[in-house]
């Protein structure tokens, strides 16, 4: 191994050695604790320290790094006190997640580190968002993100690289190619010769680096970062290295040929560098011994602090409270001037006013810029707010949602338009795993609104008609809004954008151009978790939302002589159960109308809650009316049969007659 010290000060050469030694010694200690049964799981980065340490040293301390499970050297190089890392691994209070997540699954704004979630991939798109945030704030900063070579097979890798390329984002994509992804060798993971070759396909500058040579890592990354800060661009780096231990300690290395282990053990990044420093008289044996003793005592002392720390005490209220970032709703009352406009106009005007109110709010989506979006909600926005804030994205939902998370980490609000709510399926992972769990895990709000044009009745078939709110209502950490009227849509969208939590905002396409209402012209907000009583009656309670509210209204207009309380939920999470309970107490009968297929929908949830809490007031079994449990068919006759629109009247009359 050749070490080239050109341009690297003597002190830096020494520091890089110290910085590699520390994570190595921490790991050696962890392996002992693991054998003693004192920690549960360990992913070893032994043999890969030069990458974490070299990259971190090349970045400035105020630049974000998104490390993975073998990057202890990133955490130690940023000088996180060891006792806090130990506490994190033991699930103790002075860790970073209040005992809610384990190992390296945490972020810390104080150290500008955004740790992984278990799912491989989304961190790459998050890095895009962070880098975009830096650009928008006119900061000359690089963002570095890590992945293993196995993780490069995830779609997120390709999406994130592509976005970074198209948007010229200063992201350093660091692939640690350590030969194996769990037990899978590289020849079963990808077919190209070197992963660095993939850069070409995305139009990204790419370099292969000896990942066991800390000087090479440091000097190359430093040089690149200097260029990237001045001239923003993504760079792909493939660090060649090897995983010297099992995927995690319990899984062993039986499947790794012994020759490979022997070959790579000769390339140990610390031993070789130490020999070089000794040979070049940059360090002495005695100094190494002193250094080792210092680190060993630091580890022992810090471990003692963590060991002595009390366990987490359970605070049941806090557990529930911390799922969401605190938000105090601010009421902005509607002014007197109204305009009779369509549902789609209300959304568009509401979004525009929020863009004016929050001057850093960014909106992203496919074809939303000059084209104005497929439903024309953002028509004219580019002229008003510019391309920086109204961003056409490549066709990649996952990395765009992740990028919105990255903007949030930078304190920037984002609205993502799904072209159709159905396509949220390809952005599902970051929504339910990253955005939804971020605040609970490490206190980082995901200040993102995802607009979801949804719904059937327009003969759009199985993939352009779904109303998929139930995919999200069951995931703690998300809020779900589903207005039925233009006035509500506008006010609730304003609140969704003000609220720092992730909000899925459903907009029924069938209502876009068919429903008109007098809507206040100026900016105003409406509260979440407050249903409205659209009609007042004593015979029965009808609960619905979205298009269902209109179907119920049409049914009631048919001179059925039914006096119903018609409740429009407006938001599904939070859900206003109180209004439903009050009404059921009055009417004694409840029917819930939901456009989505019946099984596992919000109607079932409401039905169960009313049974549990209002049983004594019920004079009849609760009825749920919903679409069939089939995909949504295309032809009119089939779609009409699928939807609950016609069945609703029959069920309502049966309930009244009960
Ligand atoms: C989306 C997803 N699929 C599967 C896994 C399970 N898993 C965790 S680590 C891992 C191997 C990762 O290999 P690589 O990216 O090369 O990183 P390395 O562990 O070698 O550092 C797998 C399959 C996961 N965490 N996330």
């Amino acid at each position: 191994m050749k070490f080239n010290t050109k341009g690297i000060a003597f002190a830096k050469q020494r520091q890089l050695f110290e910085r590699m030694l520390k994570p190595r010694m921490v790991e050696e200690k962890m392996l002992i604790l693991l054998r003693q049964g004192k920690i549960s799981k360990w992913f070893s980065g032994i043999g890969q320290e030069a990458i974490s340490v070299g990259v971190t040293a090349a970045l400035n301390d105020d630049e974000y790094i998104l490390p993975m499970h073998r990057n202890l050297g990133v955490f130690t190089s940023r000088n996180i006190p060891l006792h806090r890392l130990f506490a994190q691994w033991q699930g103790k209070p002075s860790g970073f997640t209040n005992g809610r997540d384990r190992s390296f699954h945490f972020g810390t704004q104080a150290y500008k580190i955004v740790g992984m979630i278990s799912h491989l991939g989304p961190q790459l798109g998050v890095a895009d968002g962070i880098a975009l945030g830096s650009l928008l704030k006119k900061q000359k900063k690089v963002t570095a993100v890590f992945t293993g070579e196995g993780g490069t097979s995830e779609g997120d890798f390709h999406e994130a690289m592509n976005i970074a390329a198209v948007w010229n984002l200063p992201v350093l994509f660091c692939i640690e190619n350590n030969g194996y992804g769990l037990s899978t060798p590289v020849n079963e993971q990808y077919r190209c010769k070197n992963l660095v070759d993939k850069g070409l396909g995305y139009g990204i500058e790419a370099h292969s680096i000896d990942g066991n040579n800390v000087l090479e890592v440091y000097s190359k990354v430093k040089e690149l970062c200097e260029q990237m800060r001045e001239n923003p661009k993504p760079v792909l780096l493939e660090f060649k290295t090897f995983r010297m231990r099992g995927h995690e300690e319990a899984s062993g290395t039986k499947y790794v040929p012994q020759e490979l282990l022997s070959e790579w053990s000769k390339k140990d990044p610390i031993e070789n560098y130490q020999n070089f420093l000794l040979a070049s008289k940059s360090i002495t044996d005695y100094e190494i011994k002193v250094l080792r003793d210092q680190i060993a005592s630091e580890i022992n002392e810090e471990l003692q602090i963590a060991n002595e720390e009390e366990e987490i005490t359970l605070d049941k209220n806090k557990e529930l409270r911390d799922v969401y970032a605190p938000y105090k709703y601010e009421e902005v009352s509607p002014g007197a001037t109204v305009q009779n406009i369509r549902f789609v106009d209300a959304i568009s005007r509401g979004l525009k006013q929020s863009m004016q109110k929050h001057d850093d709010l960014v909106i992203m989506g496919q074809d939303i810029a000059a084209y104005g979006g497929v439903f024309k909600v953002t028509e004219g926005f580019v002229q008003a707010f510019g391309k920086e804030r109204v961003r056409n994205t490549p066709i990649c939902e996952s990395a765009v949602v992740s990028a919105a998370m990255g903007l949030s980490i930078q304190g920037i609000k984002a609205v993502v338009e799904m072209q159709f709510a159905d396509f949220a399926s390809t952005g599902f992972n970051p929504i339910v795993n990253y955005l939804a769990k971020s605040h609970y895990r490490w206190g980082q709000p995901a200040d993102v609104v995802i607009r979801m044009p949804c719904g059937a009745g327009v003969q759009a078939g199985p993939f352009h008609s779904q109303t998929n709110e139930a995919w999200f209502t069951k995931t703690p950490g998300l809020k779900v809004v589903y207005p039925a009227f233009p006035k509500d849509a506008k006010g609730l969208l304003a609140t969704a954008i003000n609220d720092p939590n992730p909000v899925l905002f459903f907009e029924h396409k069938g209502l876009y151009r068919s429903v008109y209402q007098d809507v206040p012209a100026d900016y105003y907000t409406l509260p979440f978790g407050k249903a409205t009583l659209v009609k007042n009656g004593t015979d029965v309670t009808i609960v619905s939302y979205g298009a269902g509210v209109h179907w119920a209204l049409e049914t009631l207009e048919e001179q059925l002589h039914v006096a119903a309380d018609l409740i429009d939920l407006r938001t599904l999470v939070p859900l206003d159960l109180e209004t439903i309970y009050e009404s059921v107490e009055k009417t004694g009968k409840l029917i819930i109308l939901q456009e989505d297929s019946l099984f596992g929908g919000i109607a079932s949830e409401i039905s169960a809650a009313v049974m549990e809490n209002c049983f004594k007031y019920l004079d009849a079994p609760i009825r749920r009316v919903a679409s069939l449990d089939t995909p949504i068919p295309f032809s009119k006759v089939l779609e009409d049969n699928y939807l609950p629109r016609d069945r609703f009247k029959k069920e309502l009359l049966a309930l009244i007659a009960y």
Side-chain angles (χ1 to χ4, degrees):
M1 200 176 290
K2 278 216 162 66
F3 289 98
N4 184 351
T5 55
K6 193 165 168 246
I8 306 176
F10 176 71
K12 183 56 83 182
Q13 294 175 34
R14 293 266 300 231
Q15 187 197 54
L16 291 170
F17 176 67
E18 292 169 25
R19 284 190 173 182
M20 284 201 293
L21 199 53
K22 195 166 179 178
R24 170 71 59 95
M25 289 179 67
V26 169
E27 278 217 40
E28 285 166 352
K29 185 76 181 182
M30 290 304 112
L31 296 179
I32 295 169
L33 295 182
L34 193 74
R35 282 195 286 276
Q36 294 171 348
K38 291 189 179 148
I39 54 170
S40 61
K41 210 168 183 177
W42 189 256
F43 293 92
S44 174
I46 285 181
Q48 300 181 214
E49 293 92 342
I51 304 165
S52 303
V53 169
V55 169
T56 311
L59 261 71
N60 297 326
D61 281 349
D62 60 357
E63 291 176 317
Y64 283 94
I65 303 185
L66 293 86
M68 296 295 285
H69 49 296
R70 299 190 203 285
N71 299 122
L72 174 59
V74 170
F75 297 83
T76 49
S77 294
R78 283 267 160 109
N79 291 321
I80 295 185
L82 291 183
H83 73 89
R84 291 203 66 192
L85 289 178
F86 297 142
Q88 165 64 22
W89 301 333
Q90 294 177 9
K92 291 202 167 161
S94 68
F96 293 87
T97 57
N98 285 307
R100 291 169 183 161
D101 205 344
R102 60 185 188 169
S103 66
F104 293 105
H105 299 182
F106 68 91
T108 147
Q109 287 281 12
Y111 297 93
K112 293 281 178 279
I113 290 177
V114 181
M116 64 188 295
I117 65 166
S118 286
H119 293 65
L120 303 168
Q123 81 280 2
L124 296 149
V126 174
D128 281 355
I130 294 175
L132 174 60
S134 298
L135 284 188
L136 294 173
K137 292 176 179 180
K138 311 257 179 285
Q139 296 168 338
K140 294 184 173 182
K141 287 184 184 172
V142 167
T143 300
V145 59
F146 286 86
T147 175
E149 85 290 343
T152 66
S153 299
E154 293 285 351
D156 293 81
F157 173 75
H158 306 273
E159 293 190 11
M161 294 259 288
N162 191 46
I163 291 181
V166 173
W167 290 355
N168 283 327
L169 302 176
V171 180
L172 201 61
F173 291 99
C174 304
I175 306 172
E176 281 184 276
N177 191 341
N178 64 6
Y180 283 82
L182 214 157
S183 74
T184 305
V186 291
N187 63 336
E188 292 179 30
Q189 194 71 248
Y190 56 86
R191 193 40 78 87
C192 57
K193 191 150 175 261
N194 294 298
L195 285 170
V196 74
D197 297 339
K198 300 207 176 199
L200 184 64
Y202 297 100
I204 288 185
E205 179 180 333
H207 303 273
S208 178
I209 295 178
D210 177 352
N212 283 26
N213 183 330
V214 74
L215 295 189
E216 187 177 330
V217 175
Y218 171 71
S219 50
K220 188 71 196 170
V221 174
K222 189 162 180 290
E223 176 195 326
L224 288 166
C225 286
E226 278 158 13
Q227 295 168 15
M228 291 163 75
R229 288 183 197 113
E230 287 310 313
N231 172 25
K233 61 177 177 183
V235 172
L236 173 66
L237 300 177
E238 180 182 9
F239 296 101
K240 303 274 194 190
T241 185
F242 202 72
R243 199 191 70 204
M244 297 303 294
R245 302 189 66 85
H247 168 65
E248 45 98 20
E249 283 308 308
S251 60
T253 51
K254 256 195 187 149
Y255 46 85
V256 181
Q258 192 52 48
E259 310 85 79
L260 273 177
L261 287 167
S262 318
E263 181 193 329
W264 280 91
S265 68
K266 290 188 204 116
K267 301 184 193 167
D268 183 82
I270 300 181
E271 210 178 299
N272 279 287
Y273 189 50
Q274 177 175 306
N275 290 341
F276 164 76
L277 291 178
L278 284 169
S280 59
K281 307 226 179 315
S282 302
I283 205 164
T284 64
D285 281 318
Y286 177 72
E287 285 171 322
I288 293 172
K289 186 183 173 311
V290 171
L291 184 60
R292 282 186 162 275
D293 288 348
Q294 269 169 3
I295 297 175
S297 353
E298 183 189 345
I299 292 172
N300 287 334
E301 282 158 24
E302 298 276 310
L303 196 55
Q304 200 176 341
I305 299 176
N307 288 345
E308 283 168 5
E309 188 177 346
E310 80 280 16
E311 298 290 334
I312 293 271
T313 46
L314 173 64
D315 175 343
K316 289 185 178 172
N317 290 332
K318 191 169 155 54
E319 281 309 286
L320 289 171
R321 204 170 54 234
D322 286 356
V323 172
Y324 294 97
Y327 170 61
K328 204 170 165 310
Y329 167 69
E330 274 175 41
E331 174 101 24
V332 180
S333 304
T337 315
V338 293
Q339 291 158 329
N340 193 263
I341 55 172
R342 302 170 302 177
F343 194 98
V344 69
D345 306 319
I347 301 268
S348 177
R349 291 179 196 189
L351 188 55
K352 195 170 216 174
Q353 288 172 354
S354 283
M355 289 288 280
Q356 285 154 350
K357 178 178 154 72
H358 305 280
D359 58 13
D360 60 350
L361 170 64
V362 171
I363 57 177
M364 303 189 279
Q366 291 153 28
D367 310 291
I368 67 161
Y371 187 69
V374 291
F375 297 105
K376 302 294 172 204
V377 167
T378 51
E379 190 147 52
F381 277 42
V382 178
Q383 290 87 325
F385 304 108
K387 276 195 117 170
E388 295 278 86
R389 294 182 61 204
V390 184
R391 307 188 75 89
N392 266 348
T393 69
I395 305 168
C396 49
E397 288 74 13
S398 189
V400 170
V401 172
S402 303
M405 179 73 225
L407 285 173
S408 218
I409 288 169
Q410 287 275 28
I412 297 173
K413 287 180 179 291
V415 173
V416 174
E417 174 176 302
M418 286 291 152
Q419 200 154 67
F420 288 83
D422 310 69
F423 303 142
S425 52
T426 44
F428 192 67
N429 179 39
I431 298 174
V432 299
N433 285 318
Y434 213 123
L435 273 56
K437 297 173 180 37
S438 179
H439 189 265
Y440 178 75
R441 291 172 54 246
W442 62 284
Q444 172 61 53
D447 197 351
V448 179
V449 175
I450 303 180
R451 294 188 35 244
M452 303 279 279
C454 65
V458 288
Q459 286 190 60
F463 307 112
H464 286 78
S465 306
Q466 294 171 89
T467 178
N468 45 5
E469 66 278 8
W471 296 0
F472 305 99
T473 47
K474 76 150 281 91
T475 301
L478 302 175
K479 296 191 179 182
V480 180
V481 180
Y482 205 143
F485 295 98
K487 186 175 167 190
D488 287 345
K490 189 175 170 199
L492 289 169
L493 182 59
T495 303
I497 292 168
N498 291 342
D499 191 317
N501 290 287
V503 181
L504 278 292
F505 194 90
F506 284 83
E507 305 167 9
H508 199 291
K509 314 189 286 281
L511 306 182
Y512 267 162
R513 290 175 167 74
S514 64
V515 178
Y516 284 73
Q517 201 179 26
D518 284 344
V519 176
D522 292 337
Y523 178 90
Y524 62 94
T525 59
L526 288 170
F528 283 4
K530 293 253 179 294
T532 48
L533 207 55
V534 179
K535 270 193 170 298
N536 203 329
T538 51
D539 297 344
V540 64
T541 301
I542 304 170
V543 171
S544 196
Y545 56 100
V549 177
H550 297 276
W551 300 339
L553 275 172
E554 285 159 21
T555 306
L556 291 174
E557 275 156 22
E558 285 182 36
Q559 306 295 325
L560 302 177
H561 305 294
V562 173
D565 258 5
L566 172 56
I567 295 174
D568 172 7
L569 291 172
R570 303 202 296 184
T571 65
L572 307 183
V573 182
L575 183 61
D576 182 4
L577 285 167
E578 284 312 311
T579 297
I580 301 174
Y581 295 163
E582 264 172 44
S583 173
V584 169
E585 191 177 335
K586 180 176 77 174
T587 65
K589 288 181 176 172
L590 172 64
I591 184 166
I592 310 153
L593 172 58
Q594 152 192 306
E595 176 177 336
D596 191 12
S597 297
L598 180 67
F599 192 86
I602 199 88
S604 305
E605 198 53 45
I606 293 169
S607 171
V610 171
M611 279 289 288
E612 285 164 14
N613 294 284
C614 303
F615 185 69
K616 63 183 174 200
Y617 303 115
L618 286 171
D619 296 329
I622 299 166
R623 287 189 184 235
R624 293 168 300 152
V625 187
S627 287
L628 301 183
D629 286 312
T630 70
I632 307 172
F634 160 57
S635 89
K636 180 151 173 42
V637 62
L638 298 182
E639 191 183 38
D640 286 348
N641 174 63
Y642 164 84
L643 287 170
R645 208 171 169 155
D646 296 336
R647 282 190 297 282
F648 176 66
K649 179 171 153 188
K650 199 172 124 246
E651 294 285 334
L652 177 67
L653 292 175
L655 179 59
I656 295 290
Y658 182 87

